[in-house]
Amino acid sequence: MERLASFGNDPFDKPPCRGCSSYLTEPYVKCAECGPPPFLLCLQCFTRGFEYKKHQSDHTYEIMTSDFPVLDPNWTAQEEMALLEAVMDCGFGNWQDVANQMCTKSKEECEKHYMKHFINNPLFASTLLNLKQAEEAQHNETAIPFHPADDPPRPTFDSLLSRDMAGYMPARADFVEEFDNYAEWDLRDIDFVEDDSDILHALKIAVVDIYHSRLKERQRRKKIIRDHGLINLRKFQILERRYPKEVQDLYETMRRFARILGPVEHDKFIESHALEFELRREIKRLQEYRAKKKITNFCSARTYDHLKKTRDEERLKRTMLSEVLQYIQDSSACQQWLSRQADIDSGLTPTVPVPSNSGRRSAPPLNLTGLPGTEKLNEKEKELCQMVRLVPGAYLEYKAALVNECNKQGGLRLAQARALIKIDVNKTRKIYDFLIREGYITKA
């Protein structure tokens, strides 16, 4: 029976005849019982009854030719393939060049046939649509693009952010180094030949199967990265910091199980535990109201919280006053303390040490009342400035410098923070730890 030849028009594209080693020209014969690889013979060797190894002259065979119509009675299959190759070489619309390359059809015939059967053919249109959808599905399985609304970071090569992104290249949706990057090396010297023994052939097949399993593992890891949004690590860390400290610890512990649960189930699990933590904390607060203060309604609870906050502030003021009174007893120590306080209030770095009677007491907290920038601080920042004895304006400048440098570098080390702000190293350490703890910067 006749079959469409699986090679192009160029005779050099076809394998040689197994009998005389000459290049095959259509029509030629293919043995239907031998192969793979296909056992092909020219007509001369076929008529002589050529036999070789397992091939016998009485085997069933197929006549390979493309000299038959497919879409149009006046166009053979060979001319159809020649038309497609000519359009690919010359470009769509250059019908004169296409006709010159085909040599058997005119310009008008080429254009009319191509438009009728390959452009306006509804069967081919649906087939091309299915191919496009299959290609997009395959792309979604292999590439790891960012969401269109995101602006993917494009860090310089070998920078800190590039290392955090595992060498991801947003423009190519791929990585600089794949997982198991040298898996292909095991296949570079493998060649399937006809004379291989059964054992050697089975060993080569086993090596190929192992390579396929390594490719599947590579795609599995890419899918986990894509589904969980792990490429933009900084954004992932910012989302993680919105949870309380206890939930963050749980998040860190359960992260290794995310690949099993999947992204949606994992997020639901963490959110449910965050909600449980909030409910437990609220229940504990209500139990405290009921047990200690006999509070039974929310109006009384708000009044109690306000009075408690006022008492805490008064207690802090009394503590500061007691600290100041210790220095008043020693005139020299009092003078040094006032000089140091004046330097701090003016934004200068104090250089005069403040001695104490016991040798172990620290300086009293700084009073922020009336200082510029105090209204821009939250309660925790106010507490930090009081304990570190840092004016709010200076703290805001140091905070902005550290946050900007962290955003540029993708992280910040303590040594870099000390190089940016030239103050006491202990104060720098407290500011650095506070910003890390509150999520303003990340540790490199």
Side-chain angles (χ1 to χ4, degrees), residues 355-372:
S356 63
N357 293 336
S358 62
R360 293 188 299 270
R361 288 183 176 274
S362 60
L366 177 64
N367 185 8
L368 303 181
T369 304
L371 293 180

Side-chain angles (χ1 to χ4, degrees), residues 108-138:
E108 290 75 15
E109 290 175 332
C110 294
E111 180 179 5
K112 181 180 178 181
H113 183 81
Y114 191 86
M115 296 300 295
K116 177 181 178 181
H117 295 285
F118 295 101
I119 299 298
N120 300 323
N121 191 333
L123 175 61
F124 283 176
S126 60
T127 304
L128 292 175
L129 179 61
N130 294 335
L131 291 176
K132 183 178 180 181
Q133 293 175 349
E135 182 179 358
E136 291 178 352
Q138 182 180 6

Side-chain angles (χ1 to χ4, degrees), residues 357-402:
N357 293 336
S358 62
R360 293 188 299 270
R361 288 183 176 274
S362 60
L366 177 64
N367 185 8
L368 303 181
T369 304
L371 293 180
T374 306
E375 68 279 358
K376 299 180 181 179
L377 306 180
N378 57 36
E379 294 300 326
K380 293 184 178 179
E381 289 176 326
K382 290 179 182 178
E383 182 181 354
L384 174 68
C385 290
Q386 289 175 344
M387 302 307 297
V388 181
R389 299 187 57 80
L390 191 65
V391 294
Y395 164 76
L396 292 174
E397 292 181 3
Y398 299 152
K399 174 185 173 183
L402 295 179

Side-chain angles (χ1 to χ4, degrees), residues 124-328:
F124 283 176
S126 60
T127 304
L128 292 175
L129 179 61
N130 294 335
L131 291 176
K132 183 178 180 181
Q133 293 175 349
E135 182 179 358
E136 291 178 352
Q138 182 180 6
H139 177 75
N140 292 333
E141 290 295 328
T142 57
I144 311 178
F146 277 88
H147 192 272
D150 293 338
D151 183 18
R154 302 177 185 272
T156 57
F157 177 73
D158 203 27
S159 63
L160 178 62
L161 184 56
S162 176
R163 292 194 295 272
D164 287 343
M165 294 171 62
Y168 181 76
M169 299 176 291
R172 295 177 56 184
D174 209 343
F175 294 88
V176 175
E177 290 190 9
E178 297 280 2
F179 168 74
D180 202 355
N181 198 46
Y182 300 99
E184 289 76 12
W185 282 27
D186 296 337
L187 300 179
R188 57 183 177 177
D189 297 327
I190 292 182
D191 187 16
F192 289 89
V193 296
E194 184 180 358
D195 297 334
D196 286 344
S197 63
D198 294 340
I199 296 179
L200 183 58
H201 184 78
L203 288 175
K204 292 181 179 180
I205 293 295
V207 172
V208 174
D209 291 340
I210 293 173
Y211 172 68
H212 284 167
S213 65
R214 296 161 82 175
L215 288 183
K216 291 180 181 178
E217 177 63 18
R218 183 182 294 175
Q219 297 303 322
R220 186 186 72 87
R221 290 173 178 257
K222 285 185 177 181
K223 186 176 185 298
I224 292 174
I225 293 175
R226 181 185 68 250
D227 292 345
H228 290 271
L230 300 179
I231 296 174
N232 196 343
L233 186 60
R234 184 183 301 172
K235 182 178 179 181
F236 182 78
Q237 292 172 344
I238 293 175
L239 294 176
E240 183 179 348
R241 291 194 200 101
R242 61 195 174 102
Y243 297 113
K245 181 64 169 60
E246 294 79 1
V247 181
Q248 289 184 20
D249 295 339
L250 176 66
Y251 206 124
E252 183 67 27
T253 304
M254 297 301 298
R255 183 177 297 172
R256 67 197 66 184
F257 300 104
R259 68 185 71 180
I260 302 174
L261 295 177
V264 177
E265 291 79 6
H266 181 70
D267 289 344
K268 287 182 179 179
F269 175 79
I270 298 298
E271 289 290 344
S272 63
H273 278 270
L275 178 60
E276 179 187 359
F277 173 79
E278 294 293 338
L279 292 176
R280 288 179 179 273
R281 185 170 61 179
E282 187 68 16
I283 291 173
K284 183 178 180 181
R285 187 169 68 92
L286 295 176
Q287 289 175 343
E288 179 184 357
Y289 290 154
R290 181 67 64 88
K292 295 183 179 181
K293 307 302 176 184
K294 305 302 180 182
I295 298 174
T296 57
N297 56 71
F298 287 105
C299 181
S300 301
R302 287 193 294 269
T303 304
Y304 168 74
D305 289 337
H306 176 71
L307 293 176
K308 181 180 178 182
K309 181 179 179 181
T310 304
R311 287 195 302 269
D312 293 339
E313 292 177 353
E314 293 294 334
R315 188 181 298 111
L316 178 61
K317 291 179 180 180
R318 289 195 299 269
T319 303
M320 293 174 59
L321 181 59
S322 64
E323 294 287 343
V324 173
L325 290 177
Q326 294 179 11
Y327 293 107
I328 296 179

